[in-house]
Amino acid sequence: DGGSSVEEVEFNWDEYLEDTGATAAPHGSFKHVDTSLQNGFAPGMKLEVAVKSDQNTYWVATIITTCGQLLLLRYDGYGEDRKADFWCDIMTADLHPIGWCEQNKKILKVPEGIKDKIPDQEEFLQRVLKGACSAPANLLEGLHRGKNPLDLIAPGSRLELQNIRDSLEAWIVNVVENVGGRLKLRYEGLEDSDKFDQWMFYLDPFLHQVGWADQHGYSLQPPLAIRSLKSEADWQEILKKVKEEEEESSVPTDLFKDKPVIGVHSFSEGMKLEAVDPMAPFVISPATVFKVYNEKYFMIEIDDLRPERTTSQTYICHVNSAGIFPVQWSLKNGLHLSPPPGYPGQDFDWADYLKQCGAEAAPQSCFPLLTSDHGFKENMKLEAVNPVDPEEVCIATVTKLKDSYLWLQLEGSKKPVPECIVSVESMNIFPVGWCETNGYQLRPPRKAIVNKQKKIAVVQPEKQILSSRTVHDGLKNQELNSSDSVVINGKYCCPKIYFNHRCFSGPYLNKGRIAELPQSVGPGNCVLVLKEVLTLLINAAYKPSRVLRELQLDEEAAWHGHGETLKAKYKGKSYRATVEVVRTADRVADFCRKTCIKLECCPNLFGPQMVLDKCSENCSVLTKTKYTHYYGKRKNKRIGRPPGGHSNLEVAMKKPNKRRKRRKHFFVHKKKRASTSVDNTPAGSPQGSGGEDEDDQDESELSHSLAQDRDKRKRKLRTFSFSDDENKPPSPKDIKLEVAEKLQLDSNPLEWSVADVVRFLKSTDCAPLARIFLDQEIDGQALLLLTLPTVQECMDLKLGPAIKLCHHIERVKLAFYQQFAN
């Protein structure tokens, strides 16, 4: 279509998941990302903390929870009593590791509040400190104080990288960039060249702190690829300089404590196996154990039988390396094994090949056990590194799963890339939103944006095919397949569909919006034309989601046509449902008439017949009541429940035995699932809008609950400095101005009730989430304990809304600490 063009637009994961009907891979499936988010402090660790009432004395406290550089602590001796919990800032508080007081001649003394509970201080300390884990000293003192360990790998830091072509060698690399633990590395000595730069996650088994090679007996020299760029004397001078500056550029040793441990392998030279080349992970090929270095490392070579070959594909492996499989693994899993280049014929047979090579297959015991317990499923979305261009992180779709391996289709890469084969434990895959969180550019999908001028499908008689399809602004601009061709006078060519504006529009459609619709749509492919007609009708409704509900797939329909997914937006929320349309021209008239009756409008409102002066149904003299009688549905039919009890419209479902309704999910498309309708309104009622009215009901219930809470409380009403009237939240404009300002609280959030918390949230741009806090009865103390992982897991929020919510929680925590913690 000459009228379409590719337009760069800001990518939004929530909208993309909604448009594609896909789900995000669970965050917990990316173990390396979870590890990178740990700040070094963990609940249960113990510290020695200055006692507030007497700054010259200290007492042991336990970390209850962490939030950035804030720690929630409880003095040992309070047991499960959380009333004395207090927040402190790592950067400013007087905090020390266990044993610091003894080393520095400071006094450990029981705080007054629990003095009567601890008659024998020495015995108590011996008991609580036995087997206790102290907070890391390097995070409490010195230059590293209060920093996330991952942030200590700053640009300019030095590490050692094992050579992927010879694992017994390593060379120093400089960190050029750190993106959430994914490091851009440059070989020492190549400061002015990025030609040999590599991207690697900091937990990669081949990456180490400086000094690792000497400690383990490995050779420290530049890899062959760069060795010729400088003389041997130059390289030795570079090495000498690195050792002199080691302290300045080193990173803490314990940063690598969570790296996977490399075990002992049992491979022998000459063994055959199946392998995926990590440099081009697109096919599974026969391979050979080319060389064994030691008990940990061995070299794999991808088999190539061509006599004229001059290079070989080799790489270093260890027992837990991804992409190595036993012989016949592909066959057992129904996968294609790519024969070695130069192999005679296409039907590869392992038995013949082993006999031909005089080799043995590596036994099953050499390979790690594979698992399918990882949380990934087909069609899930994630973010993945492009193996051809590691600078790129692309949107990826899981197209296939086998044991511990995923087949990923990358979208938006500069150059098309085949499906990639990656391990579920790969450190080159990331959860949805990872790039946005770390400020890195995610390659957006290629999206054709159609000009707003409407394209009407026309037929070229001399070619007898559809040259352009009808496109509505709300539909994707997709290329037509050969099956979409339209033959003149053929049954697949849909006639023009007319909108007869004078006909009765019924209770669901807005007469004014109907009048603005084009006079006709088509001709063209039946499915495409009817899909656009229905989309126009949905958008012309008082409540688009209600019309979508009425149009949703009815499995007892007489025509059994073609299922298409249509969308509707109402009150800022998105709905989608599968709607059935006919595929052949001979059924179009009946389809249009029955759809009109479904919507309780005149049967001639739209269809292949144009109404000129007078409608054959004489609809102008019939009242709305008469139309409901003639064309309406049975009154006892529940909205959203077609015959058979099935509904494919995305609306909230009410759980049994729950006092309140759960919040709605709008982004997951479930095909033909059984569901329980949440709308008991009769079809003829103008208010029967199903799930879209639930928010209004919730708002009423929330207001009633807040009013009751205020009436019951006899203590002083708590008001917040960001609102003059707690019954009236500030306007969105006011909120926007206040969010950027420092938060001042007029009451201690530790004493907030559930209603106080809800009232606070209602005054922010996270007001829609207030309902969740009311349902889960989150009071002020619980609010202060919330963290990003907790919010995502317990409230089932996507990353964007969770981050926005945690921003406000952080503001409350900071204000609490500054105003009330002391």
Side-chain angles (χ1 to χ4, degrees):
D1 190 336
S4 66
S5 61
V6 175
E7 180 180 300
E8 288 292 332
V9 294
E10 184 178 349
F11 178 76
N12 181 287
W13 260 116
D14 283 343
E15 293 178 3
Y16 180 72
L17 291 173
E18 175 196 340
D19 289 342
T20 57
T23 57
H27 194 284
S29 296
F30 304 87
K31 296 177 183 177
H32 60 298
V33 176
D34 279 344
T35 302
S36 71
L37 295 175
Q38 296 172 6
N39 67 355
F41 295 99
M45 286 182 175
K46 294 188 182 293
L47 312 166
E48 293 178 355
V49 186
V51 177
K52 295 179 184 178
S53 57
D54 184 356
Q55 293 294 326
N56 294 320
T57 65
Y58 296 80
W59 189 242
V60 176
T62 301
I63 297 175
I64 303 302
T65 190
T66 67
C67 184
Q69 66 185 51
L70 297 179
L71 301 178
L72 182 64
L73 303 178
R74 182 183 304 163
Y75 285 122
D76 282 16
Y78 277 97
E80 297 301 316
D81 185 359
R82 60 187 246 185
K83 289 181 181 178
D85 291 2
F86 59 97
W87 288 91
C88 62
D89 189 329
I90 302 166
M91 299 297 290
T92 58
D94 197 357
L95 308 174
H96 305 280
I98 297 298
W100 179 87
C101 284
E102 184 178 355
Q103 294 171 4
N104 292 274
K105 307 267 191 298
K106 298 293 182 180
I107 302 171
L108 275 173
K109 183 180 178 183
V110 183
E112 289 294 329
I114 51 175
K115 204 169 185 180
D116 57 338
K117 297 182 180 180
I118 305 175
D120 187 337
Q121 176 175 314
E122 293 300 323
E123 184 275 333
F124 177 82
L125 286 175
Q126 287 181 5
R127 178 161 46 87
V128 298
L129 294 179
K130 186 178 181 180
C133 176
S134 173
N138 65 298
L139 297 181
L140 293 168
E141 301 166 351
L143 296 175
H144 299 162
R145 178 171 181 156
K147 290 186 178 179
N148 186 316
L150 185 58
D151 296 334
L152 301 178
I153 310 179
S157 298
R158 288 191 176 108
L159 298 165
E160 288 181 3
L161 177 62
Q162 280 179 270
N163 188 346
I164 196 169
R165 302 296 178 193
D166 186 345
S167 67
L168 299 184
E169 295 179 354
W171 187 241
I172 297 98
V173 287
N174 275 291
V175 176
V176 178
E177 194 175 350
N178 179 356
V179 181
R182 188 167 182 256
L183 309 178
K184 186 176 184 180
L185 304 171
R186 184 169 298 168
Y187 286 117
E188 186 73 38
L190 303 184
E191 287 76 11
D192 300 325
S193 172
D194 61 359
K195 182 179 179 182
F196 298 95
D197 286 1
Q198 298 182 56
W199 282 94
M200 191 170 289
F201 204 74
Y202 82 104
L203 294 173
D204 192 287
F206 284 84
L207 199 58
H208 312 278
Q209 71 272 18
V210 171
W212 175 87
D214 284 343
Q215 293 169 12
H216 292 82
Y218 288 75
S219 171
L220 197 60
Q221 56 181 326
L224 279 174
I226 66 170
R227 199 172 296 174
S228 61
L229 300 178
K230 294 182 184 292
S231 67
E232 182 62 28
D234 289 338
W235 288 121
Q236 290 303 318
E237 187 63 31
I238 290 169
L239 195 57
K240 180 181 177 182
K241 179 187 174 186
V242 168
K243 290 184 177 179
E244 289 174 354
E245 301 173 353
E246 185 172 336
E247 285 191 12
E248 300 174 14
S249 59
S250 64
V251 296
T253 305
D254 62 351
L255 188 65
F256 299 98
K257 69 182 187 304
D258 296 313
K259 273 178 36 173
V261 177
I262 296 177
V264 176
H265 73 80
S266 54
F267 287 95
S268 302
E269 288 184 9
M271 283 182 174
K272 294 287 184 181
L273 65 157
E274 297 180 0
V276 175
D277 185 352
M279 301 302 174
F282 311 121
V283 296
I284 304 174
S285 309
T288 306
V289 178
F290 183 72
K291 185 177 181 179
V292 173
Y293 290 95
N294 54 25
E295 62 180 10
K296 288 189 175 182
Y297 301 105
F298 55 95
M299 178 181 280
I300 292 290
E301 180 180 39
I302 303 296
D303 287 2
D304 189 336
L305 304 180
R306 293 173 297 184
E308 70 275 11
R309 72 183 178 112
T310 56
T311 60
S312 61
Q313 292 173 273
T314 60
Y315 56 95
I316 303 299
C317 283
H318 50 82
V319 68
N320 292 319
S321 287
I324 55 174
F325 314 99
V327 163
Q328 304 284 14
W329 186 81
S330 296
L331 181 64
K332 291 175 183 177
N333 286 277
L335 301 170
H336 175 68
L337 180 69
S338 181
Y343 181 81
Q346 292 299 314
D347 296 328
F348 180 82
D349 181 80
W350 260 116
D352 291 344
Y353 185 61
L354 290 172
K355 187 175 181 180
Q356 175 188 336
C357 297
E360 63 172 328
Q364 178 72 49
S365 58
C366 290
F367 301 88
L369 293 175
L370 301 181
T371 176
S372 56
D373 183 22
H374 43 64
F376 290 100
K377 294 180 181 178
E378 283 189 14
N379 298 319
M380 279 184 170
K381 302 286 184 180
L382 57 144
E383 299 175 4
V385 174
N386 182 351
V388 177
D389 183 1
E391 289 273 352
E392 285 187 358
V393 180
C394 304
I395 293 167
T397 305
V398 178
T399 59
K400 184 163 49 182
L401 298 99
K402 293 293 179 184
D403 293 330
S404 302
Y405 289 85
L406 309 174
W407 274 251
L408 299 179
Q409 182 64 57
L410 304 186
E411 301 176 39
S413 55
K414 293 176 185 176
K415 296 180 181 178
V417 180
E419 284 188 348
C420 309
I421 306 170
V422 301
S423 165
V424 295
E425 295 182 350
S426 168
M427 296 183 192
N428 284 326
I429 58 175
F430 304 94
V432 161
W434 183 86
C435 280
E436 181 183 4
T437 302
N438 291 284
Y440 195 77
Q441 176 63 50
L442 175 69
R443 293 291 304 174
R446 293 185 180 87
K447 189 175 182 180
I449 307 298
V450 180
N451 292 346
K452 293 204 173 184
Q453 180 180 357
K454 193 174 297 297
K455 302 292 178 181
I456 304 299
V458 294
V459 177
Q460 301 289 346
E462 62 274 15
K463 292 185 180 180
Q464 298 189 356
I465 61 169
L466 180 69
S467 62
S468 175
R469 58 170 286 192
T470 309
V471 179
H472 181 263
D473 291 343
L475 299 178
K476 300 282 185 185
N477 180 33
Q478 299 173 341
E479 295 296 325
L480 290 172
N481 299 320
S482 58
S483 61
D484 293 320
S485 297
V486 177
V487 180
I488 294 179
N489 299 324
K491 65 178 182 178
Y492 291 102
C493 182
C494 180
K496 274 189 180 182
I497 302 297
Y498 295 93
F499 289 103
N500 297 307
H501 303 116
R502 296 183 181 181
C503 289
F504 185 78
S505 57
Y508 303 130
L509 304 177
N510 186 315
K511 181 69 175 177
R513 292 176 189 167
I514 290 290
E516 295 172 0
L517 296 182
Q519 185 178 6
S520 64
V521 173
N525 176 281
C526 278
V527 171
L528 301 179
V529 170
L530 293 176
K531 188 174 178 180
E532 185 190 12
V533 168
L534 296 180
T535 300
L536 290 171
L537 287 171
I538 290 168
N539 293 335
Y542 290 106
K543 296 179 179 178
S545 53
R546 172 64 185 274
V547 169
L548 183 61
R549 187 189 304 278
E550 297 299 319
L551 295 176
Q552 66 183 344
L553 180 63
D554 186 338
E555 293 185 351
E556 293 183 5
W559 47 76
H560 293 290
H562 180 80
E564 286 289 319
T565 300
L566 297 184
K567 296 184 294 183
K569 288 193 175 182
Y570 184 65
K571 290 189 176 180
K573 293 165 187 166
S574 299
Y575 300 78
R576 65 174 68 224
T578 302
V579 175
E580 192 163 29
V581 296
V582 296
R583 310 180 79 164
T584 55
D586 56 340
R587 294 177 175 174
V588 167
D590 187 50
F591 171 85
C592 291
R593 184 175 182 86
K594 289 182 176 179
T595 302
C596 286
I597 292 173
K598 263 189 179 182
L599 299 180
E600 300 181 31
C601 56
C602 174
N604 291 333
L605 180 65
F606 64 93
Q609 297 296 322
M610 181 188 292
V611 174
L612 297 174
D613 296 324
K614 191 174 181 181
C615 172
S616 60
E617 298 291 328
N618 202 24
C619 65
S620 60
V621 302
L622 290 176
T623 65
K624 181 176 178 180
T625 304
K626 289 181 180 179
Y627 254 84
T628 302
H629 174 74
Y630 289 127
Y631 302 112
K633 295 172 285 298
R634 296 186 305 274
K635 294 298 180 199
N636 60 354
K637 179 180 177 182
R638 288 168 66 102
I639 302 302
R641 182 181 291 182
H646 294 283
S647 171
N648 59 76
L649 180 64
E650 293 172 17
V651 294
M653 292 187 295
K654 185 173 182 179
K655 270 197 171 183
N657 301 325
K658 282 282 185 180
R659 185 165 60 89
R660 296 189 179 99
K661 295 175 185 174
R662 294 186 62 190
R663 65 193 182 87
K664 298 183 287 299
H665 300 268
F666 300 101
F667 302 120
V668 183
H669 181 44
K670 303 289 186 184
K671 293 184 180 179
K672 299 182 182 178
R673 62 174 179 166
S675 72
T676 305
S677 173
V678 298
D679 186 0
N680 298 323
T681 314
S685 167
Q687 283 76 32
S689 55
E692 61 268 25
D693 283 335
E694 185 177 295
D695 276 355
D696 297 336
Q697 180 182 345
D698 288 348
E699 184 70 25
S700 173
E701 183 181 340
L702 177 60
S703 300
H704 179 66
S705 174
L706 293 178
Q708 280 188 325
D709 185 85
R710 285 195 298 271
D711 291 339
K712 288 180 180 178
R713 286 182 299 158
K714 295 181 180 179
R715 52 193 168 88
K716 179 182 176 182
L717 284 173
R718 298 189 183 100
T719 58
F720 303 98
S721 59
F722 45 77
S723 175
D724 294 330
D725 180 3
E726 71 175 329
N727 296 319
K728 180 183 177 184
S731 68
K733 184 177 180 182
D734 295 334
I735 294 171
K736 188 174 181 181
L737 292 173
E738 290 292 337
V739 162
E741 298 176 4
K742 183 178 177 182
L743 185 63
Q744 289 292 326
L745 301 177
D746 290 340
S747 62
N748 189 337
L750 276 178
E751 300 174 357
W752 286 2
S753 66
V754 175
D756 289 329
V757 172
V758 169
R759 195 177 301 109
F760 165 72
L761 287 173
K762 294 289 287 182
S763 70
T764 71
D765 55 355
C766 290
L769 303 179
R771 176 67 193 178
I772 305 173
F773 282 71
L774 184 65
D775 285 348
Q776 298 193 16
E777 299 181 352
I778 296 174
D779 60 9
Q781 292 190 31
L783 178 75
L784 293 175
L785 295 174
L786 292 179
T787 62
L788 180 59
T790 307
V791 164
Q792 283 188 278
E793 181 180 352
C794 298
M795 297 187 180
D796 196 22
L797 295 180
K798 295 186 183 297
L799 185 63
I803 289 176
K804 186 184 292 185
L805 173 61
C806 284
H807 166 70
H808 293 294
I809 296 173
E810 288 286 342
R811 293 173 66 229
V812 173
K813 288 178 181 178
L814 188 58
F816 160 70
Y817 174 67
Q818 292 173 339
Q819 294 178 240
F820 301 101
N822 293 323

